[in-house]
Amino acid sequence: MDEQPAMQLRGLTKRVGNKTLVDHLTFDIPKGEVFGFLGPNGAGKTTSIRMMVGLISISEGQVLVHGVDVAKDFSKAMQHVGCIVENPELYKYLTGYENLRHMARMTPGLDPRRIDEVVALVGLQNRIHDKVKTYSLGMRQRLGLAQALLHEPSILILDEPTNGLDPAGIRELRDHLRKLAREQGMAVIVSSHLLSEMELMCDRVAVIQQGKLIQVERMGDMGLSGDGALSTSFEVDDVGTAEQVLRQHFAAQVVTSGEHRVTLPLMREQVPEAVAALTGEGVRLFEVKSQRKTLEESFLEMTGDETIA
Amino acid sequence: MLSLFANENMKLYRRPRTWILIALMAAIVLLTGVLMKGHEQPTPANWKQALIVQNQQLRQEAAGGGRHLAIFGHGAAQLEVQIQTNDYAISHNVPPQQPTGWSFSNQVEQEAVGVLLTVFVAIIAGDIVAGEFTGGTIKLLLTRAQTRSRILLSKYLAVLLFSIVLMAVTLGVSLLVGGGLFGFTGASAPYIYMSATGHVAQMNMIAYLFANYGFNSISLLMTVTIAFMISTIFRSSSIAIALSIVSLFIGNTIVRVLSTYSWDKYILFANTNLAQYFFNGPAISGMTLTFSVVVLAVYFIVMNGLSWYIFRKRDVALT
Ligand SMILES: Nc1ncnc2c1ncn2[C@@H]1O[C@H](COP(=O)(O)OP(=O)(O)OP(=O)(O)O)[C@@H](O)[C@H]1O
Ligand SMILES: [Mg+2]
């Protein structure tokens, strides 16, 4: 790797009293990637993000932004970072435009014309001079995003950005983030427990639970992990025989659903064997489907379906 | 830094609350003026004669050593202040009870709005940091490329500017109302008083007016600092506003109750009224202007240092 990652976490840890909320997180987020931060409620996603943007102190470890330590040179590091932590925070008694001007004033040397640019980017032109207290939740999300993008950060950190957005809004945000990553090489970090969301939005996800990193995986590989078995289903004319044959050949749980379908977990290389066995016994085969586990399934598998830590 | 200060001012003056406080202050001054005008006693035709008689009695009293009026051990000087005030009225032909624009402004500051000024400023100071925490917007301020020290300083300066604005409005309105209702005469009339050393002294009415505001702004600054500190530590506007206002009202009582202790004079509120070293003498004997200034400076540095230290360290975790 000749290029430095946009953001690096090095053994990031947060302790409060004798509780460890975040436990030695280590991973890199390269430029141009949409990186997901996945975990059940109370996993420590928000706590990690708070450390990444300097809202809370770091008990142990480091956060590096383009190689700059956030704890050591906060101002320099934060020039590159835009974020929304939990909710978009806005001054409700100011107009949308004034909120952006407030934000702009905190970045020395920012061209005021940039404000109009981000307003257009998030599509708030018509309401920008209204007071924020008259905005809907979705409009507030948009304004929050405009605030975070105002100083042209190279790293964007969003904590549960889809909160309160309608399906169209979610889709729009998703396309938006992907575009920012692809076209501007921005590193985008999003946290969520909306698994299906992550599946569509992210290049890679880090799964954390009880403050610990379970694994970091490329999105496409996710379903292949675990024991490597794929859920394979066969559409047949005679489910009774099919079930019997498959039980004989494979030591796996066979499930019959409907009148014509049997399903069982198989390794990829076992599939031809199963087909041969079925046709050999005269079972007529109409369709074979190997399905990757959904992210949801592998997520639950990884974290177990226990309740909040 | 200037742009952060501009931000704080924008947030302050775009809120109706700030303007309500300013308008309320102006309204109270106006109301006081109107009420005073309404209750004005007609000057009796023989006021001059009455003063001459009073002065004769006072001189007799003074000759007898001021036994009956020996307050603070400076009875003679007290009498002399009254005699000279009367003499001025007689020789310049101005009825002493007749208010003027200047005396009105002084009276309104000392008896009506002086404390209110501090209360209003405490409301703003108590909310300026805590309000960002309750609104969650503190996260905006602390995740940009600005140090926490600068953010805090810009807020402190914005409160100071508001104090100055409110004081200027109060002074301006009281002069306008006073001048409008009672006329601008009497600017050259002296304010005759007993100095801290027990001598009779006098100063110009206008100078006295500014001295009043000047001394009040010292205690105002201390209340601002208290409210600001509590606001930063507890992140609750209501606690900050309530505690700082309570301290304003019971501060002097505490000092009086604890007057038997030798450390009483180190209490902040024993030192906030610097006017005592110029008029009438200190409430606790043995205290000097230098002593009070040093005590005030120590409190100022410690309280602001504490705000700064805590604000910089704080984990912004709970929403
Ligand atoms: N100030 C605090 N003191 C002690 N524990 C805290 C504090 N703040 C958060 N926690 C705990 O830290 C853990 C992680 O919380 P965090 O908000 O980071 O979770 P999260 O992954 O963002 O969850 P969610 O999906 O619900 O937003 C939780 O168990 C929470 O109870
Ligand atoms: Mg969270």
Side-chain angles (χ1 to χ4, degrees), chain A residues 16-17 19-22 39-50 86 159-160 191-193 208 211 308-309, chain B residues 315 317-318:
Chain A
V16 174
K19 269 176 75 185
T20 304
L21 306 183
V22 174
N41 287 131
K45 303 181 294 290
T46 303
T47 308
S48 306
I49 288 177
R50 286 201 155 114
E86 285 192 315
D159 192 11
E160 319 231 355
S191 86
S192 177
H193 25 57
I208 66 165
I308 295 165
Chain B
D315 270 1
L318 306 159

Side-chain angles (χ1 to χ4, degrees), chain A residues 14 50 54-57 74-75 78 81 85-86 89 91 93-94 98 101-103 105-106 147 151, chain B residues 3-4 7 10-11 14-15 132 135-137 139-146 148 315-317 319:
Chain A
K14 179 71 183 178
R50 286 201 155 114
L55 282 176
I56 60 176
S57 61
F74 178 75
S75 293
M78 291 313 286
V81 181
V85 183
E86 285 192 315
E89 304 298 351
Y91 297 98
Y93 53 88
L94 298 179
E98 284 166 336
R101 211 168 57 198
H102 175 267
M103 213 57 185
R105 285 209 192 102
M106 283 199 281
Q147 279 183 327
H151 59 292
Chain B
S3 54
L4 291 182
N7 265 350
M10 173 173 79
K11 285 183 273 183
R14 293 293 287 159
R15 292 187 88 159
E132 302 273 2
T137 44
K139 288 187 264 174
L140 291 182
L141 298 179
L142 301 188
T143 53
R144 297 288 0 101
Q146 297 286 349
R148 292 191 177 192
D315 270 1
V316 185
T319 36

